[in-house]
Amino acid sequence: MIPLVQEARSWRQGVFMGSCCASERTAAAEGKVGELRIDPFAMIPFCGYNMADYFSHWLEMGDRMGPHAPKIFFVNWFRKGSKNEFLWPGFSENIRVLKWIMARTEEDVAVEDSPYGYLPNPADIDMDGLDLDQDTVDTLLSVDADGLEHDIQQFSAFFKRLGDRLPEALMEEMSLMKERLSNYTY
């Protein structure tokens, strides 16, 4: 139940977000096609080594870049509504979200804090001409606290499978997310 777009607070949180990425299974992955599964960076079917080492690599990249590390954003073009319909129109309309991302890289727009990361103020994404009511926009840009609690359980189970090689920084990020969720008012 990830919002339409969010910005990571830091490179480390961005790696955490990527490590917890879920996607539907495709023919490239074992299991039932279409089933939702944790697939970090969408790389499990293609990564030839331990995923915990892969995460360590990306954390080390952030350390090497230091203050010059780029911002990390996460998008969810596929959030669904109560009738299992896609809420965001997608395709060429995605440019509206990308424009907000570009404005954030220049820090031209403010953000709202959430357990996930920084979210856009609804007025900062151009919705002119879209057939979206305010409830849909609010849902797209909101945090589903119950869904996030469920997600955290899945992330924990996935991380447990990776064993001792999992970078401690990712467990720390999960703890921070849990803390932010417990203090979140919506």
Side-chain angles (χ1 to χ4, degrees):
M1 298 300 209
I2 295 170
L4 175 62
V5 61
Q6 63 188 347
E7 176 187 342
R9 290 175 177 76
S10 63
W11 181 269
R12 189 174 97 158
Q13 187 193 28
V15 172
F16 170 75
M17 290 164 41
S19 74
C20 297
C21 183
S23 61
E24 290 185 356
R25 291 186 194 274
T26 66
E30 290 183 23
K32 182 180 175 188
V33 172
E35 179 181 70
L36 197 63
R37 65 179 167 74
I38 301 289
D39 186 2
F41 295 83
M43 285 296 296
I44 285 180
F46 311 105
C47 191
Y49 57 99
N50 186 292
M51 289 304 293
D53 294 341
Y54 187 70
F55 302 150
S56 292
H57 163 78
W58 285 108
L59 290 166
E60 290 165 12
M61 290 287 293
D63 291 343
R64 284 199 300 263
M65 290 184 284
H68 305 293
K71 292 177 182 259
I72 296 178
F73 296 87
F74 198 90
V75 296
N76 180 10
W77 309 124
F78 306 108
R79 190 164 183 174
K80 292 184 178 180
S82 60
K83 299 174 186 152
N84 206 32
E85 78 285 10
F86 291 112
L87 297 178
W88 183 249
F91 302 102
S92 64
E93 304 304 350
N94 293 349
I95 194 68
R96 297 166 186 263
V97 174
L98 298 175
K99 286 169 84 173
W100 178 82
I101 289 172
M102 294 306 296
R104 278 302 300 155
T105 63
E106 299 296 325
E107 300 197 10
D108 289 342
V109 292
V111 291
E112 296 179 8
D113 200 9
S114 84
Y116 278 117
Y118 299 131
L119 303 179
N121 293 310
D124 291 332
I125 294 184
D126 175 16
M127 301 289 185
D128 289 343
L130 292 180
D131 187 22
L132 298 177
D133 61 35
Q134 191 58 48
D135 286 342
T136 301
V137 172
D138 291 345
T139 299
L140 280 165
L141 299 177
S142 70
V143 171
D144 174 355
D146 293 335
L148 181 53
E149 286 181 17
H150 176 263
D151 290 348
I152 288 171
Q153 291 173 3
Q154 287 187 313
F155 304 158
S156 295
F158 175 72
F159 283 173
K160 191 173 186 174
R161 287 187 6 225
L162 297 176
D164 295 340
R165 291 163 76 166
L166 181 74
E168 183 62 30
L170 298 184
M171 292 305 295
E172 291 169 5
E173 284 295 328
M174 185 155 30
S175 292
L176 289 169
M177 181 182 276
K178 288 178 188 178
E179 181 181 324
R180 287 189 298 269
L181 181 59
S182 70
N183 296 324
Y184 189 61
T185 56
Y186 40 103

